[in-house]
Amino acid sequence: MSKTVLVTGGLGFIGSNLVDLLIEKGYQVVVIDNLSSGSRSNMNPKAIYYYDDVSVALQSKLKENIEIIFHLAAEARIQPSFKSPLLWFRSNVEATAVVCDYAKNNNCRVVYAGSSSCYAGKYMNPYTFTKKQAEEVCRMYSEVFNLSTVTARFFNVYGPRNPLIGEFTPIIAKFEEKIKNNQPLTIVGNGEQRRDFTHVYDICEGLIELSKQEWKADIFNLGTGTNYSINELADMFDGEKIYLPARPGEARETRADITKTTLKTGWKPVHKLKDYIKEKLNEIK
């Protein structure tokens, strides 16, 4: 019999791709999303949807018997978190506690979507701090209540449905849009900061692999193990470059060590950044 799973944030970029893959693999999928950043255009007709905050839906609305929770709902982005840190605390820390408490009371596993930004230091910005604190919430529930929790730390994710959100649009989606509109590629800082870019399909496969076992607050990286500078990325798009002032709170370099992830789950990324960009450029031309 197929498992019934919950995806919080299941109308967002990563969440909606995960919903589609879960359904393709035969899971029964329930989604909670308050539409603060997700879109109804990402709906899958085979999933069940609750349009509300995670805390409200879990405490008063959810009717299905859930076996696994993929907790992706969060306030994302580093720069906006400087302006509204309390919102980031409520959405990223308090909501994770509600998820873990629901899981404790209903015998669910929790797969939590963490962030690789904590490797640069958890005090760099409110976003990173709250994502790291949510990991600690998962750890506490594992240690005290024996809840199965696992954190997947994402690196820079790209692929279908990558959102266009103005100034803070993820860099690959931003470059795609600039090329489509024959505009220069805008680069923050000197462009020598390096990022591990990981396709969303690989991320989703990794999340599902992590959901298949019991864990006790384990942490796994989901990345490629290879990084590129933003200048190198811009060269792949072959566009004119414009440089903007550097921004606070951002890491100089990210690169995933996926040795543990591959050893414990067998997961390896299969999508290549250069192939993706080449395909996109062919579509645009």
Side-chain angles (χ1 to χ4, degrees):
M1 193 170 72
S2 62
K3 284 184 168 62
T4 300
V5 303
L6 169 65
V7 180
T8 71
L11 285 171
F13 164 40
I14 300 174
S16 64
N17 279 288
L18 176 61
V19 168
D20 289 350
L21 183 59
L22 286 163
I23 288 171
E24 182 183 313
K25 290 178 179 287
Y27 291 81
Q28 301 294 316
V29 181
V30 180
V31 173
I32 298 174
D33 198 300
N34 67 4
L35 294 169
S36 63
S37 58
S39 171
R40 289 180 188 269
S41 65
N42 294 337
M43 288 180 65
N44 187 308
K46 294 183 180 179
I48 298 168
Y49 289 87
Y50 290 86
Y51 304 105
D52 217 326
D53 289 339
V54 169
S55 298
V56 174
L58 285 180
Q59 292 173 333
S60 63
K61 295 187 176 182
L62 196 67
K63 300 179 180 68
E64 290 74 20
N65 294 318
I66 304 298
E67 297 170 69
I68 301 167
I69 301 175
F70 295 92
H71 181 36
L72 278 68
E75 287 292 337
R77 310 287 169 241
I78 288 173
Q79 297 304 320
S81 73
F82 285 108
K83 296 181 179 179
S84 305
L86 288 180
L87 174 59
W88 265 249
F89 267 92
R90 286 193 295 271
S91 298
N92 296 355
V93 184
E94 293 179 20
T96 301
V98 173
V99 166
C100 287
D101 209 61
Y102 177 91
K104 171 180 72 72
N105 295 332
N106 293 275
N107 195 29
C108 309
R109 297 178 189 169
V110 175
V111 180
Y112 170 67
S115 172
S116 63
S117 64
C118 65
Y119 287 121
K122 66 181 179 181
Y123 301 112
M124 292 278 284
N125 55 73
Y127 164 74
T128 299
F129 183 80
T130 56
K131 293 295 285 183
K132 184 67 174 70
Q133 287 305 108
E135 288 185 8
E136 291 299 306
V137 170
C138 292
R139 175 169 292 281
M140 186 278 286
Y141 271 87
S142 285
E143 296 288 348
V144 176
F145 301 108
N146 204 33
L147 177 66
S148 175
T149 71
V150 62
T151 292
R153 287 182 178 167
F154 300 165
F155 287 70
N156 286 65
V157 187
Y158 68 92
R161 302 177 188 158
N162 210 334
L164 297 173
I165 49 175
E167 181 183 357
F168 304 116
T169 295
I171 188 70
I172 291 179
K174 181 182 289 186
F175 281 4
E176 287 178 31
E177 197 67 10
K178 294 290 187 183
I179 292 294
K180 284 179 188 175
N181 295 314
N182 294 313
Q183 296 173 334
L185 306 178
T186 53
I187 297 173
V188 174
N190 64 8
E192 287 307 301
Q193 58 271 45
R194 303 184 69 84
R195 297 290 182 264
D196 187 328
F197 295 101
T198 314
H199 197 288
V200 67
Y201 293 168
D202 286 326
I203 293 289
C204 294
E205 289 283 3
L207 288 168
I208 293 173
E209 285 303 316
L210 289 171
S211 76
K212 293 177 180 179
Q213 301 182 46
E214 297 277 343
W215 305 101
K216 190 170 184 179
D218 291 80
I219 297 172
F220 293 91
N221 291 330
L222 295 183
T224 67
T226 301
N227 60 14
Y228 298 93
S229 74
I230 304 305
N231 286 326
E232 289 171 335
L233 179 68
D235 289 341
M236 293 181 207
F237 279 94
D238 194 25
E240 179 191 350
K241 307 183 187 92
I242 290 180
Y243 292 87
L244 303 176
R247 299 190 301 218
E250 298 185 359
R252 287 298 300 170
E253 179 173 354
T254 64
R255 186 174 66 176
D257 181 347
I258 59 172
T259 306
K260 175 183 173 185
T261 311
T262 301
L263 180 64
K264 296 286 188 179
T265 71
W267 174 86
K268 289 182 180 178
V270 297
H271 293 83
K272 305 296 184 185
L273 176 63
K274 291 180 180 179
D275 292 342
Y276 173 84
I277 293 173
K278 184 178 179 181
E279 181 181 321
K280 282 296 173 183
L281 290 177
N282 287 336
E283 289 175 10
I284 293 167
K285 293 172 183 177

